[in-house]
Amino acid sequence: MGESNHVIPLLTPYRLGKFNIAHRIVMAPLYRARAYNNVPQPHAILYYSQRATKGGLLIAEANSISPSSKYTPNSPGIWSREQIEAWKPIVDAVHAKGGIFFCQIFHVGRASEEDGEVPVSSTNKPLKSGSGMQPRALETDEIPSIINDFRIAARNAMEAGFDGVEIHGAHGFLIDQFLKDQVNDRRDKYGGSLENRCRFALEVVEAVVEEIGADRVGMRLSPFSDYNECVDSKPQELGLYMAQSLKKHGVVYLHMVEPRWNISGENVESPYTLEPMKKAFNGTFIVAGGYDREEGNKAVAENYTDLVAYGRLFLANPDLPKRFEVDAPLNKYNRDTFYTHDPIVGYTDYPYLEATA
């Protein structure tokens, strides 16, 4: 597609609820394994502020909502006073550059890689891969407590200064373990029918919206993904039902992962499209999944989406919006350093355009 009159669709402004967005390029939430002992570290100040632009939307990596919801020893959390205080200077640095910063919150469920603790899930079925720890299916009367943990995490994120939260309902973590019928084998009101399997997710949304306001809440979903062995037999129906339900709750955006995307970062053929979900949600729509500059421009120009989330490209190019503006070459990302623990290498040492000129 040509960029007529040099208008670059990705670089046009947008109104996201109460926020004025300067461009359509979103930094996707990216687990980086550099929050030692589940506490965000000072090196994250540089990492996030490098990628902040005036009016640009950044989504922080997933934060665990409680000690029992942890992913790894090096993933951040937002349940404690220490974590709230650690996030404050990071958020301040993003705001100092005019960025808009949402905090992704989640519970990993059976995908936990923490030693010692028995993970909880919608099911007793363990993952065949990863830690393979035997999970314990949550009792019906335990679920309100987990929902309340999401509520408190959202409140904590606001106290840390974030502009909003993104509820992580994707990629085989706890909410997704309830949503998908190949994992959820419950016989209570949280299992069985599509409505029942979506109940937990929507009760979390309701609690978070009640706590901080719908205009500060987004949600990420991946109905077509099989990440963490989380599969649904009718992903299109699941995605549509959730989009319609989230519209009723009035959340500020829906962030969906493309059917074509898989966790290795390669694009695969898929018979599905996100178009029906965008139409059903009828609010701000964000897509993610292996987009490049040309595909992102096309998706915005054709009204397939409002905003495009970039992960690996933003990781490797702190000035990605600028590079897209001038159509500059991109730094290549190094997958070997995605999840290492070095505070600099593969984290804050990717060069800016000026440095490579």
Side-chain angles (χ1 to χ4, degrees):
M1 59 157 285
E3 287 161 13
S4 58
N5 302 323
H6 301 292
V7 172
I8 302 170
L10 280 169
L11 293 167
T12 53
Y14 181 79
R15 180 82 177 174
L16 172 69
K18 63 172 74 172
F19 305 106
N20 288 316
I21 305 285
H23 55 76
R24 314 294 184 103
I25 303 158
V26 178
M27 180 178 169
L30 300 166
Y31 168 60
R32 301 308 316 275
R34 288 163 169 88
Y36 314 139
N37 297 316
N38 305 118
V39 178
Q41 297 295 308
H43 46 248
I45 297 171
L46 179 58
Y47 171 71
Y48 281 108
S49 64
Q50 280 179 333
R51 287 155 182 79
T53 53
K54 184 173 173 57
L57 174 61
L58 284 72
I59 307 169
E61 60 205 283
N63 277 252
S64 298
I65 58 170
S66 66
S68 60
S69 71
K70 293 181 292 190
Y71 187 29
T72 73
N74 297 299
S75 58
I78 193 81
W79 72 79
S80 74
R81 170 56 46 194
E82 184 185 9
Q83 291 161 337
I84 295 168
E85 295 302 323
W87 269 116
K88 283 181 179 178
I90 305 168
V91 176
D92 287 347
V94 170
H95 285 159
K97 289 184 72 174
I100 295 138
F101 205 11
F102 271 54
C103 178
Q104 193 186 63
I105 56 174
F106 81 150
H107 188 306
V108 298
R110 69 174 186 171
S112 174
E113 294 180 14
E114 285 276 343
D115 289 332
E117 290 191 48
V118 175
V120 296
S121 181
S122 62
T123 180
N124 291 319
K125 293 182 289 193
L127 278 170
K128 298 185 186 75
S129 57
S131 68
M133 283 190 290
Q134 179 70 45
R136 176 179 68 77
L138 283 160
E139 299 292 340
T140 309
D141 62 5
E142 291 179 290
I143 290 175
S145 172
I146 304 272
I147 293 166
N148 197 51
D149 287 340
F150 274 97
R151 178 198 293 272
I152 294 166
R155 182 193 308 161
N156 291 347
M158 292 297 99
E159 190 180 342
F162 283 100
D163 298 296
V165 303
E166 176 177 284
I167 299 165
H168 196 349
H171 294 161
F173 299 118
L174 184 64
I175 289 176
D176 210 22
Q177 291 159 31
F178 274 83
L179 293 174
K180 304 273 180 74
D181 64 7
Q182 302 302 291
V183 179
N184 185 338
D185 53 4
R186 305 177 70 86
R187 296 191 177 170
D188 62 358
K189 66 179 182 177
Y190 293 99
S193 68
L194 177 60
E195 293 77 8
N196 280 359
R197 284 182 282 113
C198 294
R199 187 186 306 276
F200 173 61
L202 295 172
E203 286 181 353
V204 168
V205 171
E206 189 175 13
V208 172
V209 163
E210 186 178 69
E211 186 65 37
I212 66 170
D215 57 350
R216 293 188 180 277
V217 180
M219 189 168 202
R220 193 179 215 207
L221 296 171
S222 60
F224 304 97
S225 163
D226 62 357
Y227 186 43
N228 280 321
E229 300 162 31
C230 229
V231 179
D232 195 80
S233 62
K234 295 179 179 175
Q236 189 95 352
E237 286 182 27
L238 173 60
L240 266 174
Y241 181 82
M242 283 298 294
Q244 290 159 350
S245 303
L246 290 169
K247 178 185 177 182
K248 290 174 194 162
H249 284 286
V251 300
V252 74
Y253 70 73
L254 172 54
H255 180 184
M256 294 201 78
V257 178
E258 281 286 354
R260 65 183 187 175
W261 186 85
N262 69 20
I263 200 61
S264 70
E266 307 305 320
N267 287 338
V268 294
E269 288 296 315
S270 172
Y272 299 112
T273 170
L274 298 178
E275 281 181 281
M277 278 124 260
K278 181 181 190 292
K279 196 172 176 183
F281 179 62
N282 197 30
T284 295
F285 202 71
I286 306 176
V287 296
Y291 277 85
D292 60 16
R293 180 181 185 271
E294 184 183 0
E295 290 168 329
N297 279 325
K298 185 172 187 285
V300 172
E302 295 179 354
N303 200 31
Y304 177 77
T305 190
D306 300 303
L307 309 172
V308 182
Y310 289 88
R312 292 160 294 147
L313 296 189
F314 228 140
L315 180 157
N317 297 273
D319 53 354
L320 187 67
K322 178 67 179 173
R323 288 176 189 258
F324 277 2
E325 182 185 348
V326 300
D327 202 8
L330 301 180
N331 298 325
K332 289 186 167 56
Y333 53 83
N334 178 4
R335 193 179 291 279
D336 292 341
T337 59
F338 281 4
Y339 313 121
T340 49
H341 310 315
D342 194 290
I344 298 169
V345 177
Y347 191 58
T348 56
D349 61 346
Y350 283 103
Y352 285 85
L353 194 52
E354 296 77 37
T356 58

